[in-house]
Amino acid sequence: MAKPSKKQSLLGQVQSNQKKRTSTTKNRRPSPQQIAAMKAQQTAQAQQTQTTTDDDKPKGKSKWITLAVVGILLIVLPKPQLITYEKLGLVASSVYWSGLPGIDPVLFDSNLHPKPALERNTLYLCHDLKNPDSCQKYQIIKQEGFIAAMMKLLQD
C-alpha cells in the first residue's frame, strides 16, 4: 500500500516541476535567432493565407468572365428565325439560320441551299450553288424571331 502513495507523491512533484519550468521560460526574453525564426514563420503563414485568398479571387473573376463571354456570344452570333415564304400561292414556313462567316446559311427542313436577300424580302432556294439557273425565287411574307423558330423545331 505504500507504493501507490509514493506514485502519487512522485506525480505531484513532476507536475510541479513542469509548472516551474514553463513559468521560467515565459519570463525569459527570446534570443535573436528565435525572433528571426518566429518572423520567418509568420511571413510564411501570411504568404500561405495570401495565396489562398488570391486563388479564391481569380475563381470568382473567371466565373464572371466566362458568363460575360457566353453572353456576348449569345448576342453577337446569329440566331435562327422562322421565315414564311410564298411562290405562286404556295406558302411554306421554315427555320432559317444565317450561318457564320465561312458557313453557309441553312434551312433546317430542306435540302435546298438558301441565298437570302432579306432586306428585299426575297429568298432564293438553289439545288446547286454553282449553277444559278437551278435557283427559284420566293417572296418572304413574314419573319419571326428565335422563340417562334424554336417552337417550330420542337413541334416538327
Side-chain angles (χ1 to χ4, degrees):
M1 290 192 182
K3 288 182 182 178
S5 62
K6 288 182 182 178
K7 286 183 181 178
Q8 289 176 354
S9 65
L10 286 176
L11 288 175
Q13 289 175 357
V14 171
Q15 290 175 353
S16 66
N17 285 341
Q18 287 179 352
K19 289 180 183 177
K20 289 179 184 176
R21 287 180 191 162
T22 56
S23 64
T24 56
T25 56
K26 287 182 184 176
N27 294 337
R28 288 186 188 169
R29 188 182 308 173
S31 68
Q33 295 155 343
Q34 290 176 341
I35 292 173
M38 288 178 10
K39 285 183 181 179
Q41 186 179 17
Q42 287 175 351
T43 55
Q45 287 176 350
Q47 287 176 351
Q48 286 177 349
T49 57
Q50 190 177 29
T51 56
T52 57
T53 56
D54 290 343
D55 290 342
D56 294 341
K57 289 179 183 177
K59 286 181 184 177
K61 285 183 182 179
S62 66
K63 187 185 297 184
W64 285 109
I65 291 171
T66 304
L67 286 173
V69 168
V70 168
I72 290 170
L73 287 176
L74 288 175
I75 292 170
V76 172
L77 291 178
K79 296 162 200 61
Q81 53 184 326
L82 182 64
I83 294 180
T84 305
Y85 52 94
E86 179 254 334
K87 180 178 181 180
L88 300 173
L90 180 65
V91 177
S93 292
S94 294
V95 177
Y96 170 77
W97 183 60
S98 60
L100 296 170
I103 299 175
D104 293 331
V106 177
L107 276 179
F108 285 113
D109 60 352
S110 176
N111 291 331
L112 301 174
H113 304 284
K115 286 189 173 183
L118 299 177
E119 63 278 352
R120 294 180 289 178
N121 286 334
T122 305
L123 179 67
Y124 295 97
L125 297 177
C126 305
H127 292 285
D128 184 16
L129 287 174
K130 296 177 183 174
N131 184 4
D133 293 336
S134 69
C135 297
Q136 296 179 10
K137 181 179 177 182
Y138 290 86
Q139 183 68 34
I140 295 176
I141 299 171
K142 183 166 60 170
Q143 295 180 15
E144 296 180 59
F146 176 73
I147 296 173
M150 289 297 114
M151 296 295 288
K152 170 83 170 160
L153 285 175
L154 291 174
Q155 288 175 357
D156 290 342

